[in-house]
PDB file of all heavy atoms in Angstrom:
ATOM      1  N   GLU A  18     -43.461  66.728 -55.643  1.00 88.00           N
ATOM      2  CA  GLU A  18     -42.955  66.706 -54.266  1.00 88.00           C
ATOM      3  C   GLU A  18     -43.893  65.964 -53.312  1.00 88.00           C
ATOM      4  O   GLU A  18     -43.447  65.138 -52.514  1.00 88.00           O
ATOM      5  CB  GLU A  18     -42.676  68.118 -53.771  1.00 88.00           C
ATOM      6  CG  GLU A  18     -41.399  68.729 -54.317  1.00 88.00           C
ATOM      7  CD  GLU A  18     -40.171  67.902 -53.986  1.00 88.00           C
ATOM      8  OE1 GLU A  18     -40.068  67.421 -52.835  1.00 88.00           O
ATOM      9  OE2 GLU A  18     -39.322  67.711 -54.873  1.00 88.00           O
ATOM     10  N   PRO A  19     -45.207  66.228 -53.340  1.00 88.00           N
ATOM     11  CA  PRO A  19     -46.102  65.455 -52.467  1.00 88.00           C
ATOM     12  C   PRO A  19     -46.037  63.952 -52.747  1.00 88.00           C
ATOM     13  O   PRO A  19     -46.093  63.141 -51.817  1.00 88.00           O
ATOM     14  CB  PRO A  19     -47.485  66.028 -52.780  1.00 88.00           C
ATOM     15  CG  PRO A  19     -47.226  67.405 -53.266  1.00 88.00           C
ATOM     16  CD  PRO A  19     -45.942  67.317 -54.021  1.00 88.00           C
ATOM     17  N   ILE A  20     -45.957  63.595 -54.026  1.00 86.00           N
ATOM     18  CA  ILE A  20     -45.874  62.166 -54.370  1.00 86.00           C
ATOM     19  C   ILE A  20     -44.613  61.549 -53.771  1.00 86.00           C
ATOM     20  O   ILE A  20     -44.642  60.435 -53.229  1.00 86.00           O
ATOM     21  CB  ILE A  20     -45.903  61.991 -55.910  1.00 86.00           C
ATOM     22  CG1 ILE A  20     -47.285  62.319 -56.457  1.00 86.00           C
ATOM     23  CG2 ILE A  20     -45.513  60.560 -56.286  1.00 86.00           C
ATOM     24  CD1 ILE A  20     -47.381  62.296 -57.974  1.00 86.00           C
ATOM     25  N   ILE A  21     -43.497  62.275 -53.846  1.00 86.00           N
ATOM     26  CA  ILE A  21     -42.245  61.768 -53.275  1.00 86.00           C
ATOM     27  C   ILE A  21     -42.385  61.546 -51.774  1.00 86.00           C
ATOM     28  O   ILE A  21     -42.005  60.498 -51.237  1.00 86.00           O
ATOM     29  CB  ILE A  21     -41.084  62.754 -53.573  1.00 86.00           C
ATOM     30  CG1 ILE A  21     -40.747  62.753 -55.067  1.00 86.00           C
ATOM     31  CG2 ILE A  21     -39.846  62.384 -52.744  1.00 86.00           C
ATOM     32  CD1 ILE A  21     -39.741  63.818 -55.473  1.00 86.00           C
ATOM     33  N   GLU A  22     -42.938  62.533 -51.077  1.00 89.00           N
ATOM     34  CA  GLU A  22     -43.087  62.428 -49.618  1.00 89.00           C
ATOM     35  C   GLU A  22     -44.023  61.277 -49.247  1.00 89.00           C
ATOM     36  O   GLU A  22     -43.755  60.515 -48.309  1.00 89.00           O
ATOM     37  CB  GLU A  22     -43.607  63.741 -49.043  1.00 89.00           C
ATOM     38  CG  GLU A  22     -42.632  64.907 -49.193  1.00 89.00           C
ATOM     39  CD  GLU A  22     -41.272  64.625 -48.570  1.00 89.00           C
ATOM     40  OE1 GLU A  22     -41.227  63.971 -47.493  1.00 89.00           O
ATOM     41  OE2 GLU A  22     -40.260  65.045 -49.160  1.00 89.00           O
ATOM     42  N   HIS A  23     -45.114  61.131 -49.983  1.00 89.00           N
ATOM     43  CA  HIS A  23     -46.038  60.035 -49.705  1.00 89.00           C
ATOM     44  C   HIS A  23     -45.401  58.676 -50.001  1.00 89.00           C
ATOM     45  O   HIS A  23     -45.648  57.700 -49.281  1.00 89.00           O
ATOM     46  CB  HIS A  23     -47.313  60.214 -50.534  1.00 89.00           C
ATOM     47  CG  HIS A  23     -48.101  61.421 -50.157  1.00 89.00           C
ATOM     48  ND1 HIS A  23     -49.060  61.988 -50.972  1.00 89.00           N
ATOM     49  CD2 HIS A  23     -48.063  62.211 -49.038  1.00 89.00           C
ATOM     50  CE1 HIS A  23     -49.576  63.049 -50.386  1.00 89.00           C
ATOM     51  NE2 HIS A  23     -48.973  63.210 -49.206  1.00 89.00           N
ATOM     52  N   ALA A  24     -44.584  58.601 -51.039  1.00 86.00           N
ATOM     53  CA  ALA A  24     -43.906  57.352 -51.372  1.00 86.00           C
ATOM     54  C   ALA A  24     -42.931  56.955 -50.263  1.00 86.00           C
ATOM     55  O   ALA A  24     -42.858  55.775 -49.874  1.00 86.00           O
ATOM     56  CB  ALA A  24     -43.169  57.492 -52.696  1.00 86.00           C
ATOM     57  N   LEU A  25     -42.196  57.918 -49.737  1.00 87.00           N
ATOM     58  CA  LEU A  25     -41.257  57.629 -48.645  1.00 87.00           C
ATOM     59  C   LEU A  25     -42.003  57.192 -47.385  1.00 87.00           C
ATOM     60  O   LEU A  25     -41.554  56.279 -46.678  1.00 87.00           O
ATOM     61  CB  LEU A  25     -40.394  58.858 -48.356  1.00 87.00           C
ATOM     62  CG  LEU A  25     -39.376  59.233 -49.449  1.00 87.00           C
ATOM     63  CD1 LEU A  25     -38.684  60.549 -49.106  1.00 87.00           C
ATOM     64  CD2 LEU A  25     -38.340  58.127 -49.612  1.00 87.00           C
ATOM     65  N   ASP A  26     -43.126  57.839 -47.114  1.00 89.00           N
ATOM     66  CA  ASP A  26     -43.930  57.429 -45.958  1.00 89.00           C
ATOM     67  C   ASP A  26     -44.436  56.000 -46.135  1.00 89.00           C
ATOM     68  O   ASP A  26     -44.429  55.205 -45.180  1.00 89.00           O
ATOM     69  CB  ASP A  26     -45.125  58.383 -45.777  1.00 89.00           C
ATOM     70  CG  ASP A  26     -44.692  59.770 -45.326  1.00 89.00           C
ATOM     71  OD1 ASP A  26     -43.555  59.908 -44.836  1.00 89.00           O
ATOM     72  OD2 ASP A  26     -45.497  60.723 -45.494  1.00 89.00           O
ATOM     73  N   ARG A  27     -44.879  55.658 -47.347  1.00 89.00           N
ATOM     74  CA  ARG A  27     -45.385  54.314 -47.607  1.00 89.00           C
ATOM     75  C   ARG A  27     -44.262  53.277 -47.485  1.00 89.00           C
ATOM     76  O   ARG A  27     -44.480  52.187 -46.956  1.00 89.00           O
ATOM     77  CB  ARG A  27     -45.991  54.267 -49.008  1.00 89.00           C
ATOM     78  CG  ARG A  27     -46.590  52.911 -49.409  1.00 89.00           C
ATOM     79  CD  ARG A  27     -47.963  52.716 -48.854  1.00 89.00           C
ATOM     80  NE  ARG A  27     -48.901  53.702 -49.369  1.00 89.00           N
ATOM     81  CZ  ARG A  27     -49.576  53.573 -50.534  1.00 89.00           C
ATOM     82  NH1 ARG A  27     -49.408  52.487 -51.282  1.00 89.00           N
ATOM     83  NH2 ARG A  27     -50.424  54.506 -50.909  1.00 89.00           N
ATOM     84  N   ILE A  28     -43.078  53.615 -47.968  1.00 87.00           N
ATOM     85  CA  ILE A  28     -41.938  52.695 -47.856  1.00 87.00           C
ATOM     86  C   ILE A  28     -41.624  52.411 -46.393  1.00 87.00           C
ATOM     87  O   ILE A  28     -41.413  51.270 -45.985  1.00 87.00           O
ATOM     88  CB  ILE A  28     -40.698  53.275 -48.579  1.00 87.00           C
ATOM     89  CG1 ILE A  28     -40.904  53.242 -50.098  1.00 87.00           C
ATOM     90  CG2 ILE A  28     -39.427  52.508 -48.192  1.00 87.00           C
ATOM     91  CD1 ILE A  28     -39.842  53.991 -50.882  1.00 87.00           C
ATOM     92  N   SER A  29     -41.620  53.466 -45.578  1.00 88.00           N
ATOM     93  CA  SER A  29     -41.316  53.303 -44.155  1.00 88.00           C
ATOM     94  C   SER A  29     -42.373  52.454 -43.462  1.00 88.00           C
ATOM     95  O   SER A  29     -42.057  51.613 -42.613  1.00 88.00           O
ATOM     96  CB  SER A  29     -41.221  54.675 -43.490  1.00 88.00           C
ATOM     97  OG  SER A  29     -40.954  54.545 -42.106  1.00 88.00           O
ATOM     98  N   ALA A  30     -43.633  52.651 -43.849  1.00 90.00           N
ATOM     99  CA  ALA A  30     -44.724  51.913 -43.195  1.00 90.00           C
ATOM    100  C   ALA A  30     -44.787  50.466 -43.666  1.00 90.00           C
ATOM    101  O   ALA A  30     -45.098  49.555 -42.879  1.00 90.00           O
ATOM    102  CB  ALA A  30     -46.050  52.607 -43.468  1.00 90.00           C
ATOM    103  N   ALA A  31     -44.475  50.217 -44.940  1.00 88.00           N
ATOM    104  CA  ALA A  31     -44.670  48.886 -45.522  1.00 88.00           C
ATOM    105  C   ALA A  31     -43.481  47.957 -45.341  1.00 88.00           C
ATOM    106  O   ALA A  31     -43.630  46.734 -45.454  1.00 88.00           O
ATOM    107  CB  ALA A  31     -44.989  49.024 -47.016  1.00 88.00           C
ATOM    108  N   HIS A  32     -42.296  48.509 -45.045  1.00 87.00           N
ATOM    109  CA  HIS A  32     -41.091  47.684 -44.992  1.00 87.00           C
ATOM    110  C   HIS A  32     -40.384  47.871 -43.638  1.00 87.00           C
ATOM    111  O   HIS A  32     -39.641  48.851 -43.457  1.00 87.00           O
ATOM    112  CB  HIS A  32     -40.144  48.053 -46.135  1.00 87.00           C
ATOM    113  CG  HIS A  32     -40.774  47.905 -47.485  1.00 87.00           C
ATOM    114  ND1 HIS A  32     -41.010  46.674 -48.075  1.00 87.00           N
ATOM    115  CD2 HIS A  32     -41.254  48.837 -48.354  1.00 87.00           C
ATOM    116  CE1 HIS A  32     -41.580  46.847 -49.251  1.00 87.00           C
ATOM    117  NE2 HIS A  32     -41.745  48.155 -49.445  1.00 87.00           N
ATOM    118  N   PRO A  33     -40.583  46.947 -42.709  1.00 88.00           N
ATOM    119  CA  PRO A  33     -39.944  47.075 -41.380  1.00 88.00           C
ATOM    120  C   PRO A  33     -38.427  47.177 -41.454  1.00 88.00           C
ATOM    121  O   PRO A  33     -37.804  47.849 -40.625  1.00 88.00           O
ATOM    122  CB  PRO A  33     -40.385  45.790 -40.668  1.00 88.00           C
ATOM    123  CG  PRO A  33     -41.646  45.383 -41.361  1.00 88.00           C
ATOM    124  CD  PRO A  33     -41.473  45.787 -42.790  1.00 88.00           C
ATOM    125  N   TRP A  34     -37.813  46.497 -42.429  1.00 86.00           N
ATOM    126  CA  TRP A  34     -36.356  46.540 -42.542  1.00 86.00           C
ATOM    127  C   TRP A  34     -35.856  47.971 -42.762  1.00 86.00           C
ATOM    128  O   TRP A  34     -34.742  48.315 -42.341  1.00 86.00           O
ATOM    129  CB  TRP A  34     -35.869  45.637 -43.677  1.00 86.00           C
ATOM    130  CG  TRP A  34     -36.448  45.942 -45.029  1.00 86.00           C
ATOM    131  CD1 TRP A  34     -37.516  45.344 -45.618  1.00 86.00           C
ATOM    132  CD2 TRP A  34     -35.994  46.938 -45.962  1.00 86.00           C
ATOM    133  NE1 TRP A  34     -37.766  45.902 -46.852  1.00 86.00           N
ATOM    134  CE2 TRP A  34     -36.837  46.881 -47.097  1.00 86.00           C
ATOM    135  CE3 TRP A  34     -34.960  47.872 -45.954  1.00 86.00           C
ATOM    136  CZ2 TRP A  34     -36.677  47.718 -48.189  1.00 86.00           C
ATOM    137  CZ3 TRP A  34     -34.797  48.712 -47.052  1.00 86.00           C
ATOM    138  CH2 TRP A  34     -35.650  48.619 -48.153  1.00 86.00           C
ATOM    139  N   TYR A  35     -36.661  48.781 -43.452  1.00 84.00           N
ATOM    140  CA  TYR A  35     -36.263  50.164 -43.727  1.00 84.00           C
ATOM    141  C   TYR A  35     -36.102  50.948 -42.429  1.00 84.00           C
ATOM    142  O   TYR A  35     -35.163  51.738 -42.276  1.00 84.00           O
ATOM    143  CB  TYR A  35     -37.303  50.817 -44.636  1.00 84.00           C
ATOM    144  CG  TYR A  35     -37.048  52.277 -44.942  1.00 84.00           C
ATOM    145  CD1 TYR A  35     -36.170  52.643 -45.953  1.00 84.00           C
ATOM    146  CD2 TYR A  35     -37.693  53.277 -44.225  1.00 84.00           C
ATOM    147  CE1 TYR A  35     -35.933  53.985 -46.237  1.00 84.00           C
ATOM    148  CE2 TYR A  35     -37.469  54.619 -44.506  1.00 84.00           C
ATOM    149  CZ  TYR A  35     -36.579  54.966 -45.513  1.00 84.00           C
ATOM    150  OH  TYR A  35     -36.341  56.291 -45.793  1.00 84.00           O
ATOM    151  N   ARG A  36     -37.003  50.710 -41.495  1.00 86.00           N
ATOM    152  CA  ARG A  36     -36.966  51.461 -40.229  1.00 86.00           C
ATOM    153  C   ARG A  36     -35.789  51.061 -39.352  1.00 86.00           C
ATOM    154  O   ARG A  36     -35.404  51.812 -38.451  1.00 86.00           O
ATOM    155  CB  ARG A  36     -38.285  51.248 -39.473  1.00 86.00           C
ATOM    156  CG  ARG A  36     -39.501  51.754 -40.233  1.00 86.00           C
ATOM    157  CD  ARG A  36     -40.747  51.784 -39.354  1.00 86.00           C
ATOM    158  NE  ARG A  36     -41.144  50.463 -38.905  1.00 86.00           N
ATOM    159  CZ  ARG A  36     -41.934  49.637 -39.589  1.00 86.00           C
ATOM    160  NH1 ARG A  36     -42.395  50.012 -40.789  1.00 86.00           N
ATOM    161  NH2 ARG A  36     -42.272  48.460 -39.101  1.00 86.00           N
ATOM    162  N   THR A  37     -35.216  49.879 -39.593  1.00 86.00           N
ATOM    163  CA  THR A  37     -34.079  49.421 -38.786  1.00 86.00           C
ATOM    164  C   THR A  37     -32.738  49.894 -39.333  1.00 86.00           C
ATOM    165  O   THR A  37     -31.707  49.691 -38.691  1.00 86.00           O
ATOM    166  CB  THR A  37     -34.069  47.886 -38.693  1.00 86.00           C
ATOM    167  OG1 THR A  37     -33.837  47.338 -39.993  1.00 86.00           O
ATOM    168  CG2 THR A  37     -35.386  47.361 -38.142  1.00 86.00           C
ATOM    169  N   LEU A  38     -32.745  50.501 -40.515  1.00 83.00           N
ATOM    170  CA  LEU A  38     -31.492  50.959 -41.114  1.00 83.00           C
ATOM    171  C   LEU A  38     -30.933  52.166 -40.371  1.00 83.00           C
ATOM    172  O   LEU A  38     -31.672  52.939 -39.759  1.00 83.00           O
ATOM    173  CB  LEU A  38     -31.704  51.322 -42.585  1.00 83.00           C
ATOM    174  CG  LEU A  38     -32.070  50.190 -43.551  1.00 83.00           C
ATOM    175  CD1 LEU A  38     -32.350  50.763 -44.930  1.00 83.00           C
ATOM    176  CD2 LEU A  38     -30.949  49.156 -43.621  1.00 83.00           C
ATOM    177  N   ALA A  39     -29.616  52.324 -40.473  1.00 83.00           N
ATOM    178  CA  ALA A  39     -28.983  53.519 -39.916  1.00 83.00           C
ATOM    179  C   ALA A  39     -29.439  54.748 -40.709  1.00 83.00           C
ATOM    180  O   ALA A  39     -29.830  54.650 -41.881  1.00 83.00           O
ATOM    181  CB  ALA A  39     -27.465  53.382 -39.972  1.00 83.00           C
ATOM    182  N   GLU A  40     -29.364  55.893 -40.075  1.00 85.00           N
ATOM    183  CA  GLU A  40     -29.836  57.135 -40.688  1.00 85.00           C
ATOM    184  C   GLU A  40     -29.174  57.423 -42.039  1.00 85.00           C
ATOM    185  O   GLU A  40     -29.871  57.788 -43.007  1.00 85.00           O
ATOM    186  CB  GLU A  40     -29.607  58.317 -39.733  1.00 85.00           C
ATOM    187  CG  GLU A  40     -30.126  59.650 -40.255  1.00 85.00           C
ATOM    188  CD  GLU A  40     -31.644  59.663 -40.421  1.00 85.00           C
ATOM    189  OE1 GLU A  40     -32.330  58.846 -39.774  1.00 85.00           O
ATOM    190  OE2 GLU A  40     -32.134  60.499 -41.216  1.00 85.00           O
ATOM    191  N   PRO A  41     -27.839  57.234 -42.175  1.00 83.00           N
ATOM    192  CA  PRO A  41     -27.224  57.488 -43.493  1.00 83.00           C
ATOM    193  C   PRO A  41     -27.803  56.609 -44.589  1.00 83.00           C
ATOM    194  O   PRO A  41     -28.016  57.074 -45.718  1.00 83.00           O
ATOM    195  CB  PRO A  41     -25.738  57.183 -43.242  1.00 83.00           C
ATOM    196  CG  PRO A  41     -25.547  57.389 -41.781  1.00 83.00           C
ATOM    197  CD  PRO A  41     -26.822  56.942 -41.147  1.00 83.00           C
ATOM    198  N   ALA A  42     -28.072  55.338 -44.278  1.00 82.00           N
ATOM    199  CA  ALA A  42     -28.627  54.435 -45.285  1.00 82.00           C
ATOM    200  C   ALA A  42     -30.040  54.851 -45.683  1.00 82.00           C
ATOM    201  O   ALA A  42     -30.410  54.810 -46.861  1.00 82.00           O
ATOM    202  CB  ALA A  42     -28.618  52.993 -44.765  1.00 82.00           C
ATOM    203  N   ARG A  43     -30.839  55.276 -44.704  1.00 84.00           N
ATOM    204  CA  ARG A  43     -32.200  55.726 -45.020  1.00 84.00           C
ATOM    205  C   ARG A  43     -32.167  56.977 -45.908  1.00 84.00           C
ATOM    206  O   ARG A  43     -32.979  57.118 -46.827  1.00 84.00           O
ATOM    207  CB  ARG A  43     -32.984  56.004 -43.734  1.00 84.00           C
ATOM    208  CG  ARG A  43     -33.362  54.756 -42.967  1.00 84.00           C
ATOM    209  CD  ARG A  43     -34.550  55.006 -42.043  1.00 84.00           C
ATOM    210  NE  ARG A  43     -34.316  56.084 -41.092  1.00 84.00           N
ATOM    211  CZ  ARG A  43     -33.728  55.939 -39.914  1.00 84.00           C
ATOM    212  NH1 ARG A  43     -33.301  54.723 -39.549  1.00 84.00           N
ATOM    213  NH2 ARG A  43     -33.543  56.958 -39.105  1.00 84.00           N
ATOM    214  N   LYS A  44     -31.219  57.860 -45.629  1.00 85.00           N
ATOM    215  CA  LYS A  44     -31.096  59.073 -46.453  1.00 85.00           C
ATOM    216  C   LYS A  44     -30.703  58.724 -47.891  1.00 85.00           C
ATOM    217  O   LYS A  44     -31.189  59.346 -48.840  1.00 85.00           O
ATOM    218  CB  LYS A  44     -30.060  60.017 -45.848  1.00 85.00           C
ATOM    219  CG  LYS A  44     -30.542  60.716 -44.574  1.00 85.00           C
ATOM    220  CD  LYS A  44     -29.492  61.691 -44.061  1.00 85.00           C
ATOM    221  CE  LYS A  44     -30.009  62.447 -42.835  1.00 85.00           C
ATOM    222  NZ  LYS A  44     -28.991  63.377 -42.293  1.00 85.00           N
ATOM    223  N   GLN A  45     -29.829  57.731 -48.026  1.00 82.00           N
ATOM    224  CA  GLN A  45     -29.425  57.312 -49.369  1.00 82.00           C
ATOM    225  C   GLN A  45     -30.598  56.712 -50.137  1.00 82.00           C
ATOM    226  O   GLN A  45     -30.785  56.980 -51.327  1.00 82.00           O
ATOM    227  CB  GLN A  45     -28.273  56.309 -49.271  1.00 82.00           C
ATOM    228  CG  GLN A  45     -26.967  56.930 -48.795  1.00 82.00           C
ATOM    229  CD  GLN A  45     -25.971  55.901 -48.290  1.00 82.00           C
ATOM    230  OE1 GLN A  45     -26.263  54.713 -48.230  1.00 82.00           O
ATOM    231  NE2 GLN A  45     -24.788  56.361 -47.916  1.00 82.00           N
ATOM    232  N   ILE A  46     -31.401  55.894 -49.453  1.00 81.00           N
ATOM    233  CA  ILE A  46     -32.570  55.296 -50.100  1.00 81.00           C
ATOM    234  C   ILE A  46     -33.587  56.380 -50.454  1.00 81.00           C
ATOM    235  O   ILE A  46     -34.199  56.363 -51.535  1.00 81.00           O
ATOM    236  CB  ILE A  46     -33.200  54.228 -49.182  1.00 81.00           C
ATOM    237  CG1 ILE A  46     -32.255  53.032 -49.062  1.00 81.00           C
ATOM    238  CG2 ILE A  46     -34.565  53.783 -49.719  1.00 81.00           C
ATOM    239  CD1 ILE A  46     -32.711  51.988 -48.073  1.00 81.00           C
ATOM    240  N   ALA A  47     -33.764  57.345 -49.551  1.00 83.00           N
ATOM    241  CA  ALA A  47     -34.684  58.458 -49.833  1.00 83.00           C
ATOM    242  C   ALA A  47     -34.209  59.232 -51.060  1.00 83.00           C
ATOM    243  O   ALA A  47     -35.024  59.651 -51.899  1.00 83.00           O
ATOM    244  CB  ALA A  47     -34.783  59.378 -48.622  1.00 83.00           C
TER     245      ALA A  47
END
């Protein structure tokens, strides 16, 4: 679980396109 949470945080920080997605799309990627 910690690895998953850290991976999602890293994805959000490293990929600006991820932060611009709509909430449903981000949930699907998560």
Side-chain angles (χ1 to χ4, degrees):
E18 283 302 317
I20 290 175
I21 291 173
E22 295 303 323
H23 295 162
L25 291 174
D26 291 342
R27 181 81 63 86
I28 289 171
S29 179
H32 302 286
W34 57 264
Y35 177 83
R36 298 191 296 273
T37 65
L38 294 175
E40 183 64 22
R43 288 202 303 274
K44 287 183 177 178
Q45 290 162 357
I46 292 174

